[in-house]
Amino acid sequence: MGFEGIGASVRRKEDVRFLSGKGNYTDDIDRPGQLYAYIKRADRPHAKIGGIDTAAASAAPGVVRVFTGADMAAENIGGIPCGWQLHNQDGSPMAEPPHPALAVGKVRHVGDPVAVVIAATKQQAKDAAELLAIDYTDLPAVANLKDAVAAGAAEVHDGVAGNICYDWAIGDKAVVDGVFAGAKHVVKLDLVNNRLIPNAMEPRVAIGDYDTSSGDFTLYTTSQNPHVIRLLMGAFVLHIPENKLRVVAPDVGGGFGSKIYHYAEEAIVTWAAGKVRRPVKWTAERSESFMSDAHGRDHVSTAEMALDAEGHFLGLRIVTLANMGAYLSTFAPAVPTYLYATLLAGVYKTPVIYCNVKAVFTNTVPVDAYRGAGRPEATYLLERLIDVIAHDTGLDKIELRRKNFIPADAFPYQTPVALEYDSGDYQTTLKVGLKNAGWDGFEARRTEARSRGKLRGIGISTYVEACGIAPSAVVGSLGARAGLYEVAEIRVHPTGSVTVFTGTHSHGQGHETTLAQLVVSQLGVPFDQVEVVHGDTAKIPFGMGTYGSRSLAVGGSAMVKAMDKVIAKGKKIAAHLMEAAVEDIEFKDNVFTVAGTDKSKTLTDISLAAYVPHNYPIEELEPGLDETAFYDPKNFTFPGGCHIAEVEIDPETGVVEMVNFTAVDDVGRVINPMIVEGQVQGGVAQGIGQALMENCNYDQSGQLLSGSFMDYTMPRANDIPNMSVATENTMCTHNPLGSKGCGEVGAIGSPPAVINAVVDALKDYGVRHLDMPATGAKLWSIIQAATPRMAAE
Amino acid sequence: MPRVTLTVNGKQHTVEVEGRTLLVEVLREKLALTGTHVGCDTSQCGACVVHIDGISVKSCTQLALQADGANILTIEGVAAADGTLHPMQEMFREHHALQCGFCTPGMVMTAIDLVESHPAGLSEKEIREGLEGNLCRCTGYHNIVKAIAAAHPLMHATAAE
C-alpha cells in the first residue's frame, strides 16, 4: 500500500459493493410483512376537492386501507414544515401557508398528493387508486412567475395577496440609485434562470416501519440528512419524540439537493405504518419524481451595472422574481436570498449593491435548492452581465474582469452584501484557466471552424461561491430554524482500528474514502482499518447532513476536533504508562513518544490500555477511547475559479457541440484529487445541461409538459465533452483542514461560460443575449431570422 | 399464474408471474437480485440493463414471460466466483467512473456488451454513442468513457488467452 492520507488519489472503498450489485439502496430493503403504498396525485394544477369516494378502492383486491387528507387532519397531523423564515422589507414575516402531507380542501399543483392506497402488492395499490373518485372543481391557476404577479392573478393560497411569499431586499437603494445617476455607463440586462428538475438517478423511496412491541417507528428513506428528517417529521408533523423514531438513509443514489427536504411521502408511510401496524413501502416511479421532487432555479431578473469611463464597476442594481412553487419546501426561502443576493459581489470589488427579491407562489411543484442553490443564479447573472457590458461598451471581456477583481492581497475581504471572503486568488485562476484553455490561440480555431462551415465561440466565467454552511448564529439571525454545525464520533477500538460516525451523508461523494483519509493522516491508522458510518440516527450522535458542499469543511473539521480529543486523552494514558509528564508526550504517525527519548507506545498500545484499564490512571481518566465533537464553522468557505467553454454551432441546424471545457477551481485543501476531479466533472455536466438542454416546462394552464426523460432532456454521454479540470488552491483560513468544498463549483461556474461561448459564436448574427437552454431549435431560429438581414447588408 | 423458467447467473429458477410482470421485477423482487436498478418508467435511463443470451437489454422493457428459457447475466454474476472483479468493473474503480453507484450496474452491463461487440477497438466517439441508452447524473461521463477505453484491451487480451 502506498500513501493513503491527505492528498492521495486513493481508490474508493465503496466501489466494490456498487460495482458488484451489492449496494444497499432504500428500494433494496424489504421489511417482513411489508405492504405497499401508492400515492394518488392531483392530475390538475388547482382545484377544490368536493369529496373523495374511497369505497370502491377500499374494496379492491389486496387493499388494506385508504387514507385521505381528512384522515390525517382528524388525527391532528401537522403540515410539512419550512426550515427558514424570511422577513419582508417592512419587517413582517413571510407568508407561510399550510402544507398538508395529503391535500385538504384543495390541490395546488400537478402531483400534489391527494390520497394513499395501501395494499398487499404494488400493483394492487396502483390498480385500486384508479378506483378513487375525486370530486374536483377546477380553479384558475398560475403556472409561471409572470402570470402569478400580474394584476388580478389567481391566488395559489387564500390570503396570500398577489401570490407574494415575501418581498425582501439587501443594500441601500437610495445610495445605489445615486451612484447610477452619476455613472458614465449603465448597462442593463433582463434574464431568466431556467427551471430545472434535479433527477438524481435513484427515485425517492420511503419505508415506514412500526414495532408493535416497543412502539418505535423507523423510517428508511432516500435522504441527504436523516437527523434533519427525524427532527422535522418527528417534532412538527407526526409528534413522535426522537427516542421513538429512527431514520435510516442507507446508500442513496444521488441527491443534488433534491433529497435534503422533508417530503410528504416520508410522513405518510411512517404514519400509515402505525395505523396498519405493518411496514409500508413507497417507491416513486420516475413520472412521480418529475412532479414531486423539488425543482430548482426559476428566476426572472433585471440586472443593471453602473460603470465609469474605464469600466470600473461602480454599483449593481438587481430585481429578481423567484418561484417558490405551490408550497414552501424546507430550504426554499433561503435560496434566492441568502444563497443568492449575498453572492452578487462575485469576485469583483463593486462597492455598492442593491437587490430586491420577491418570492412568488405558483401552481407548480415546490422549488428549492438544486446543486449550487442560488449561487449558480448569482453567477449566471453577473457573468452574463459582464459579457453584455463588454458587448455594449466595446471593452475587452477579460480586461473588464481583471480590472474589477478583488486583489489577492485584499483578503479577508468584506463585500457590500454581508459576506466576508477569507481567501482567494482570482487573477491566478484566470491566468491558469486562459492558459489551459488555449485562449490566445482561439481565433485560429474559429477561422478553421469557419472553413468547415461551423460557428465557433469561446466563453468565460470567473466566479466565487459560499459553501461549507454555516455558522449557526449567523444563519439563525438570517431566519434558519436550525443550527448548521456538524458532528463526528471517532471510536478507536481496543485493538486500534477506527470507526468514524459522521453526521454528514454520502450519496456519491465518496465519504467512506475521503473521511477515512483524514484518519490516516491524523491518527496514522492504516486506511483499511478505518470504517466510516453514516446515515442512521440510531448509530450517529447527531448531524445536519450533506448539502452546500459542507461535508469536508464542516464534517471533516468535526472529525479533526474529535481526533484532537483522542490524541489528548491518548497522551495522558501514554504519560501514565511511560511514567512521563503529559507535556512531554508527542504524537506522530500512530506513535506516542516521550520527547527526547526512545520510549514510545503505539496508538494500539494506548487503546488496549484504555479498554483494559489494569494499569491506568483510573482516578483521573475514564476508560475507553471514543470521542465526539460538534464543530460549528466560523464562516462560510469561498471556493472560486475560472471556467472556459468552447462550442461549435452548425448554422444549418442550430445544434451546439461542446468542443472543450476547461475548469480551474480553488477548492482549498484537496484530500483526494481523483474525487475532486470527479465532483467538478459531474457539476460541469449539470451546468452544461442547464445551459444547452434542460428545461422544466409548464404549459399556460399549469400542466407539466416535461414530465419524463422523453420530454426533459438529460445530458447523455455524447452531449458532454472531455474536460480539462485543474485546481489552483488557496487555503480556507478558518477551518483546521483548509478545505473549502468542491461539490457545487462545477454547476455554479459553468452555465454562463457556455452561454457566453454560444453568444460569442453568434456574434455576427447580432446576438446580445439569449436565455438558457440554448437548444438547436432556438439557435436555428435566431440564425434564420438574422440571415436575410445579413445577406441584405 | 403462468410460470417462467430462467437461468440467471448460471442458476436455474422457475417462478410464477403475472402476465404484466416485467423481467426487472422478477430479478429484484422474486430472486432478490437487487443490483439491477429501476431509474425510470420510460425505458430511457438504462439502470436496469442485463444481458439476455449475451446481449445487453433493458430489463424494464421486457415482460418476464418473454424471457422464458433465456440465459440471463446480471451485475451480480459479472465478477468471478472468488470475487475477482471483471476487467470492466476494475477499470470503473481505477478511473473513478462511478459516484453514487445507482446507474453503475446498467452502465457496466452496457459497457461489457459494447466492448465485446467491438473486438477491433472503440473510438471515444463510438463509446459515447454506445452509451446513448444509459444516463448518469453524477460523473459527467468523462471517467466512464475513460474506463471503457481502458477495459477494451484488457478484455480482448483476456479473451485471446
Side-chain angles (χ1 to χ4, degrees):
Chain A
M1 281 291 140
F3 172 61
E4 293 179 318
I6 292 176
S9 287
V10 182
R11 299 308 184 260
R12 301 199 318 170
K13 277 178 184 281
E14 40 275 86
D15 284 357
V16 171
R17 78 170 184 274
F18 290 149
L19 280 163
S20 35
K22 292 179 185 134
N24 183 36
Y25 299 89
T26 310
D27 194 47
D28 301 341
I29 297 170
D30 285 320
R31 304 295 300 158
Q34 170 181 292
L35 300 169
Y36 294 84
Y38 182 83
I39 292 182
K40 181 74 175 176
R41 297 176 185 280
D43 57 0
R44 58 202 68 210
H46 198 194
K48 203 175 277 181
I49 304 172
I52 304 172
D53 184 346
T54 60
S58 300
V63 172
V64 174
R65 286 291 289 273
V66 177
F67 295 110
T68 67
D71 297 313
M72 295 188 90
E75 297 211 355
N76 232 359
I77 299 303
I80 304 300
C82 178
W84 283 73
Q85 185 181 50
L86 266 282
H87 287 81
N88 293 302
Q89 294 193 59
D90 66 9
S92 61
M94 69 182 188
E96 200 171 350
H99 180 189
L102 287 171
V104 175
K106 275 186 189 175
V107 293
R108 293 187 177 82
H109 68 85
V110 169
D112 207 354
V114 178
V116 59
V117 178
I118 295 162
T121 72
K122 220 183 325 188
Q123 288 75 14
Q124 287 172 329
K126 192 172 179 180
D127 289 347
E130 292 290 315
L131 303 174
L132 288 166
I134 305 169
D135 172 20
Y136 284 124
T137 305
D138 285 320
L139 297 169
V142 285
N144 58 60
L145 285 166
K146 199 169 123 265
D147 290 352
V149 298
E155 285 183 356
V156 179
H157 294 278
D158 298 334
V160 180
N163 295 311
I164 300 296
C165 172
Y166 58 74
D167 177 348
W168 175 93
I170 191 167
D172 188 327
K173 185 164 190 304
V175 168
V176 174
D177 288 349
V179 167
F180 271 79
K184 169 84 179 163
H185 299 292
V186 172
V187 175
K188 182 173 172 183
L189 174 64
D190 294 318
L191 79 177
V192 173
N193 205 289
N194 47 327
R195 183 176 178 121
L196 303 177
I197 302 181
N199 280 320
M201 291 317 301
E202 178 202 29
R204 286 189 297 115
V205 182
I207 308 168
D209 201 346
Y210 177 69
D211 184 328
T212 53
S213 66
S214 65
D216 291 354
F217 289 89
T218 302
L219 168 68
Y220 300 86
T221 182
T222 48
S223 176
Q224 301 176 211
N225 34 227
H227 284 88
V228 174
I229 302 306
R230 186 181 66 169
L231 182 65
L232 292 173
M233 185 176 83
F236 297 98
V237 188
L238 301 183
H239 314 301
I240 305 170
E242 281 97 332
N243 62 315
K244 301 303 261 181
L245 176 59
R246 173 183 175 199
V247 178
V248 182
D251 286 330
V252 171
F256 315 112
S258 70
K259 291 172 180 167
I260 299 172
Y261 324 115
H262 175 37
Y263 284 100
E265 295 85 357
E266 295 171 320
I268 293 168
V269 298
T270 307
W271 175 75
K275 302 300 290 177
V276 302
R277 300 171 85 79
R278 285 171 70 178
V280 175
K281 179 175 186 173
W282 168 78
T283 301
E285 297 180 2
R286 179 59 64 181
S287 313
E288 288 185 274
S289 309
F290 274 98
M291 57 175 140
S292 70
D293 292 4
H295 293 177
R297 317 281 191 256
D298 203 347
H299 285 196
V300 174
S301 298
T302 298
E304 295 171 278
M305 185 75 88
L307 302 106
D308 68 13
E310 288 82 43
H312 293 106
F313 302 161
L314 303 179
L316 180 63
R317 190 163 59 190
I318 290 160
V319 176
T320 293
L321 292 178
N323 201 336
M324 295 285 104
Y327 304 102
L328 291 177
S329 177
T330 310
F331 271 12
V335 175
T337 48
Y338 297 114
L339 294 175
Y340 164 71
T342 53
L343 264 301
L344 288 168
V347 290
Y348 310 106
K349 45 190 188 186
T350 315
V352 292
I353 296 174
Y354 173 78
C355 178
N356 171 228
V357 180
K358 289 191 183 76
V360 180
F361 289 112
T362 58
N363 291 107
T364 63
V365 173
V367 180
D368 206 327
Y370 165 61
R371 201 170 195 170
R375 294 149 287 160
E377 294 90 315
T379 302
Y380 181 69
L381 180 144
L382 272 179
E383 295 302 306
R384 275 301 302 137
L385 180 59
I386 292 171
D387 264 37
V388 169
I389 292 168
H391 173 272
D392 290 5
T393 62
L395 294 164
D396 179 76
K397 57 183 105 167
I398 303 293
E399 273 318 302
L400 200 48
R401 286 177 167 87
R402 272 200 183 116
K403 74 166 59 164
N404 285 288
F405 275 164
I406 298 162
D409 61 7
F411 295 94
Y413 179 82
Q414 177 64 53
T415 75
V417 275
L419 298 175
E420 186 188 87
Y421 302 165
D422 65 334
S423 64
D425 182 352
Y426 311 131
Q427 297 285 1
T428 297
T429 45
L430 172 65
K431 189 179 78 189
V432 178
L434 294 173
K435 177 169 160 283
N436 291 2
W439 185 276
D440 289 342
F442 173 73
E443 286 307 326
R445 297 196 291 280
R446 194 199 300 267
T447 305
E448 184 278 331
R450 196 174 290 136
S451 74
R452 289 182 282 110
K454 296 289 177 68
L455 307 170
R456 193 157 172 135
I458 194 164
I460 189 166
S461 120
T462 50
Y463 75 96
V464 65
E465 62 131 330
C467 63
I469 56 174
S472 295
V474 173
V475 295
S477 71
L478 302 179
R481 290 163 167 159
L484 285 171
Y485 49 82
E486 199 43 77
V487 186
E489 179 185 350
I490 304 290
R491 185 175 298 165
V492 185
H493 298 288
T495 60
S497 65
V498 169
T499 302
V500 177
F501 299 87
T502 174
T504 66
H505 186 278
S506 185
H507 30 277
Q509 296 89 340
H511 293 174
E512 289 167 43
T513 303
T514 303
L515 300 186
Q517 289 179 258
L518 300 185
V519 180
V520 172
S521 279
Q522 195 171 344
L523 296 183
V525 176
F527 184 68
D528 60 5
Q529 290 180 35
V530 183
E531 211 63 36
V532 175
V533 176
H534 61 91
D536 187 343
T537 62
K539 295 178 181 167
I540 318 295
F542 203 76
M544 297 309 294
T546 288
Y547 38 82
S549 307
R550 67 193 301 277
S551 299
L552 186 60
V554 190
S557 295
M559 284 178 60
V560 170
K561 213 174 140 187
M563 287 189 281
D564 284 344
K565 292 187 189 178
V566 165
I567 293 167
K569 184 170 181 181
K571 282 182 176 174
K572 290 182 188 163
I573 301 168
H576 174 87
L577 293 177
M578 295 189 282
E579 297 175 336
V582 175
E583 307 77 64
D584 292 339
I585 305 293
E586 291 169 350
F587 179 75
K588 193 169 179 259
D589 299 337
N590 203 245
V591 178
F592 294 89
T593 313
V594 181
T597 75
D598 59 358
K599 288 209 281 189
S600 68
K601 293 277 180 193
T602 65
L603 179 63
T604 304
D605 297 331
I606 297 304
S607 58
L608 195 59
Y611 287 95
V612 187
H614 296 167
N615 175 16
Y616 194 80
I618 202 82
E619 296 297 325
E620 305 106 70
L621 219 51
E622 294 171 15
L625 197 53
D626 187 338
E627 297 288 347
T628 298
F630 282 56
Y631 176 82
D632 201 81
K634 296 183 181 73
N635 191 353
F636 293 82
T637 59
F638 298 98
C642 168
H643 287 190
I644 296 173
E646 206 164 318
V647 301
E648 278 188 10
I649 301 170
D650 183 340
E652 299 297 323
T653 62
V655 170
V656 181
E657 188 191 350
M658 284 294 312
V659 285
N660 285 315
F661 196 95
T662 305
V664 177
D665 300 296
D666 173 356
V667 299
R669 173 104 49 222
V670 171
I671 309 303
N672 185 318
M674 173 189 83
I675 288 178
V676 169
E677 275 187 34
Q679 288 292 309
V680 176
Q681 289 161 354
V684 168
Q686 288 179 347
I688 292 172
Q690 168 164 30
L692 295 183
M693 54 196 80
E694 294 183 41
N695 200 33
C696 171
N697 263 306
Y698 280 92
D699 73 8
Q700 198 75 15
S701 78
Q703 277 296 340
L704 177 63
L705 299 180
S706 51
S708 81
F709 284 145
M710 300 169 79
D711 310 294
Y712 184 91
T713 320
M714 293 275 280
R716 292 175 186 269
N718 221 7
D719 300 315
I720 304 296
N722 274 319
M723 303 170 207
S724 157
V725 172
T727 58
E728 283 293 328
N729 299 310
T730 62
M731 295 302 120
C732 169
T733 61
H734 59 78
N735 71 39
L737 287 165
S739 298
K740 298 183 178 182
C742 66
E744 297 162 291
V745 294
I748 291 168
S750 58
V754 176
I755 294 298
N756 287 344
V758 169
V759 172
D760 181 57
L762 296 175
K763 64 179 189 164
D764 294 338
Y765 292 79
V767 177
R768 178 180 184 258
H769 173 69
L770 54 88
D771 283 321
M772 299 186 286
T775 61
K778 188 182 283 180
L779 300 191
W780 184 83
S781 300
I782 290 169
I783 292 165
Q784 290 300 306
T787 303
R789 194 180 71 231
M790 288 170 71
E793 276 166 7
Chain B
M1 267 200 277
R3 293 155 78 88
V4 289
T5 299
L6 312 166
T7 303
V8 183
N9 303 332
K11 204 172 150 198
Q12 193 172 310
H13 304 267
T14 299
V15 292
E16 286 194 341
V17 297
E18 286 186 63
R20 62 180 169 178
T21 304
L22 303 171
L23 176 59
V24 69
E25 292 171 333
V26 170
L27 296 173
R28 287 184 57 81
E29 294 163 22
K30 305 245 178 197
L31 306 182
L33 293 168
T34 54
T36 302
H37 295 153
V38 179
C40 76
D41 46 14
T42 52
S43 199
Q44 301 281 305
C45 82
C48 65
V49 170
V50 299
H51 291 183
I52 301 180
D53 298 326
I55 293 168
S56 59
V57 172
K58 288 176 175 170
S59 63
C60 75
T61 314
Q62 282 252 331
L63 295 169
L65 289 171
Q66 290 174 282
D68 192 27
N71 197 343
I72 295 167
L73 180 71
T74 72
I75 189 69
E76 288 91 344
V78 169
D82 68 356
T84 306
L85 295 181
H86 183 281
M88 186 63 75
Q89 292 170 311
E90 197 53 64
M91 288 303 101
F92 264 59
R93 178 167 149 81
E94 178 62 24
H95 293 282
H96 188 33
L98 65 153
Q99 291 182 24
C100 81
F102 195 81
C103 77
T104 306
M107 208 53 97
V108 168
M109 299 311 286
T110 297
I112 290 173
D113 187 16
L114 184 63
V115 169
E116 283 177 347
S117 58
H118 291 79
L122 276 165
S123 67
E124 186 200 319
K125 190 169 160 53
E126 285 171 319
I127 294 173
R128 289 186 180 274
E129 283 171 356
L131 296 177
E132 168 76 32
N134 292 74
L135 289 174
C136 169
R137 194 55 152 168
C138 293
T139 63
Y141 303 100
H142 183 105
N143 288 342
I144 294 176
V145 174
K146 250 165 70 178
I148 296 171
H152 190 282
L154 299 178
M155 281 173 63
H156 288 290
T158 312
E161 274 167 12

